[in-house]
């Protein structure tokens, strides 16, 4: 991708550790370029204990904002001069705008998740949802579901105390449960939607579910959503599809949280459907550029 840089080009980035695998630069640079906005967006590795040092460096270097991924989302909270409602609710920040009058912290993950469901024709009002996991992503999803009128959300997590702590924030809607097969089956039995917010099935070192028998307990046709977007079809989505459950991966959430972040960075209100197409095309082009070139038929290209 070609980004035209000027001395006045405004600087944005994503910080994390690790971060060099991040798709945010591809998505954001493509969207900013399509909007003809003079910004550049980089991936900036920052170690776990470097959150505050980074904030000072970013201000000195003239960054206008940045996104944050693991392990900085929670550590940023105390340094913000203002937090939006979602960042306050999750106690986690994924988008920071550096303005003359201070640091503005936002969290666009939950809105991105909701928009992804909405694109798929799903409304959460009155739904009974099972959320697997109680880490950062699952927390944003569970609290957003509770805020948006889900009837009941069961949070199944390996470390049950973490599920209990998360559910204490909205005890009328959120209910903690374990991650053993019996707990998963019992939760799945009454679900209208199942969301995987664990790292199980993620490309790389995500680990894998030890068994998928809980999927047999899901009522017929219940959608299964995996927040993971690499690989596109996780083993969970594959197994659910074999049983006739529609599947949704996390790409839509990734793109929509990026669009909401771009709106914060630039102050514009975007044509979100058009930007989604721009982001999807950029990701497809990037994936194609990384595929090995087809082998030339024997005899061709030989000196
Ligand atoms: P995180 O805070 O580290 O949470 C990881 C979760 O996975 C925890 O609930 C953890 O349980 C659980 N887990 C890990 N290994 C497990 C195992 N072997 N058995 C059972 N549970 C296990 O990570 P995160 O930031 O929430 O990310 C979680 C996933 O969501 C990642 O795959 C990430 O790619 C995806 N994600 C997607 C988007 C998007 O835009 N689509 C955004 C953010 C994250 P314990 O609490 O017991 O450790």
């Amino acid at each position: 991708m070609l980004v035209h840089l000027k001395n006045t080009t405004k600087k944005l980035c994503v910080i994390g550790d690790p971060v060099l695998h991040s798709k945010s630069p591809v998505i954001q640079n493509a969207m900013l370029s399509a909007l003809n906005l003079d910004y550049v967006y980089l991936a900036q590795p920052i170690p776990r204990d470097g959150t505050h040092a980074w904030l000072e460096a970013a201000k000195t270097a003239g960054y206008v904002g940045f996104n944050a991924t693991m392990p900085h989302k929670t550590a940023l909270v105390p340094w913000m001069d203002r937090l939006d409602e979602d960042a306050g609710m999750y106690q986690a920040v994924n988008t920071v705008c550096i303005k003359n009058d201070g640091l503005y912290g936002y969290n666009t993950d939950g809105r991105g998740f909701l928009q992804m469901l909405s694109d798929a024709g799903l409304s959460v009002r009155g739904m009974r949802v099972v959320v697997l996991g109680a880490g950062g992503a699952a927390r944003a999803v569970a609290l957003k579901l509770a805020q948006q009128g889900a009837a009941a959300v069961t949070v199944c997590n390996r470390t049950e105390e973490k599920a209990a702590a998360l559910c204490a924030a909205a005890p009328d809607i959120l209910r903690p449960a374990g991650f053993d097969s019996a707990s998963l089956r019992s939760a799945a039995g009454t679900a209208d939607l199942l969301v995987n917010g664990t790292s199980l099935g993620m490309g790389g070192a995500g680990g894998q579910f030890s068994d998928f028998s809980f999927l047999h307990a899901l009522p017929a046709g219940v959608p299964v959503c995996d927040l993971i977007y690499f690989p596109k079809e996780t083993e969970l989505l594959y197994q659910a599809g074999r049983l006739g459950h529609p599947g949704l991966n996390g790409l839509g959430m990734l793109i929509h949280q990026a669009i909401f972040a771009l709106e914060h960075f630039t102050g514009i209100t975007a044509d979100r459907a058009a930007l989604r197409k721009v982001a999807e095309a950029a990701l497809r082009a990037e994936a194609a550029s990384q595929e090995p070139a087809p082998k030339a038929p024997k005899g061709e290209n030989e000196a």
Side-chain angles (χ1 to χ4, degrees):
M1 183 189 313
L2 201 57
V3 178
H4 294 284
L5 296 178
K6 299 188 212 124
N7 290 347
T8 50
T9 300
K10 297 190 181 79
K11 293 187 285 289
L12 295 166
C13 69
V14 54
I15 64 163
D17 184 16
V19 76
L20 296 181
H21 67 287
S22 172
K23 300 291 177 207
S24 292
V26 172
I27 294 173
Q28 292 287 0
N29 284 317
M31 296 193 302
L32 290 161
S33 163
L35 292 166
N36 210 14
L37 294 170
D38 187 20
Y39 289 79
V40 64
Y41 188 106
L42 306 166
Q44 179 63 58
I46 299 292
R48 175 176 290 276
D49 59 359
T51 315
H52 184 236
W54 158 253
L55 283 171
E56 292 307 314
K59 282 191 261 184
T60 307
Y63 276 78
V64 295
F66 62 92
N67 287 119
T69 184
M70 269 173 49
H72 298 292
K73 289 184 181 182
T74 309
L76 281 167
V77 171
W79 301 107
M80 296 297 110
D81 296 301
R82 289 190 181 76
L83 284 180
D84 79 342
E85 188 188 343
D86 281 8
M89 177 164 67
Y90 315 145
Q91 285 297 296
V93 165
N94 80 336
T95 303
V96 175
C97 291
I98 303 173
K99 301 190 184 181
N100 289 338
D101 61 345
L103 297 170
Y104 287 62
Y106 308 90
N107 196 311
T108 63
D109 284 337
R111 288 176 69 203
F113 170 72
L114 264 196
Q115 188 61 48
M116 170 179 75
L117 292 188
S118 166
D119 285 356
L122 298 170
S123 160
V124 303
R125 189 154 291 281
M127 259 194 181
R128 293 162 302 175
V129 186
V130 174
V131 174
L132 308 182
R139 182 176 178 80
V141 163
L143 292 174
K144 189 47 100 179
L145 286 166
Q147 184 205 48
Q148 293 296 310
V153 179
T154 307
V155 178
C156 301
N157 197 45
R158 175 178 64 177
T159 312
E160 244 187 287
E161 308 82 72
K162 271 172 71 179
L166 160 54
C167 292
D172 293 346
I173 311 285
L174 305 181
R175 188 182 70 85
F179 202 77
D180 55 287
S181 297
S183 300
L184 293 179
R185 269 200 305 276
S186 158
T190 55
D192 302 312
L193 172 69
L194 184 135
V195 181
N196 178 34
T198 75
S199 44
L200 295 176
M202 186 171 71
Q208 192 49 272
F209 287 88
S210 53
D211 93 87
F212 289 98
S213 61
F214 61 93
L215 290 174
H216 290 272
L218 274 181
V222 161
V224 173
C225 170
D226 203 325
L227 300 189
I228 294 168
Y229 49 86
F230 178 75
K232 272 194 243 172
E233 184 179 56
T234 56
E235 189 64 22
L236 174 71
L237 290 184
Y238 172 72
Q239 296 292 345
R242 283 180 43 160
L243 296 173
H245 298 285
L248 196 59
N249 69 23
L251 189 64
M253 174 173 169
L254 177 77
I255 292 174
H256 284 299
Q257 63 78 26
I259 294 172
F260 293 130
L262 177 145
E263 291 184 343
H264 288 306
F265 292 142
T266 63
I268 66 158
T269 303
D271 175 346
R272 294 174 185 155
L275 279 191
R276 179 180 178 154
K277 286 189 184 136
V278 168
E280 285 171 345
L283 289 169
R284 274 198 304 275
E286 195 227 9
S289 74
Q290 288 176 352
E291 275 169 18
K295 276 197 182 140
K298 229 177 167 200
E300 261 184 45
N301 295 337
E302 283 178 1

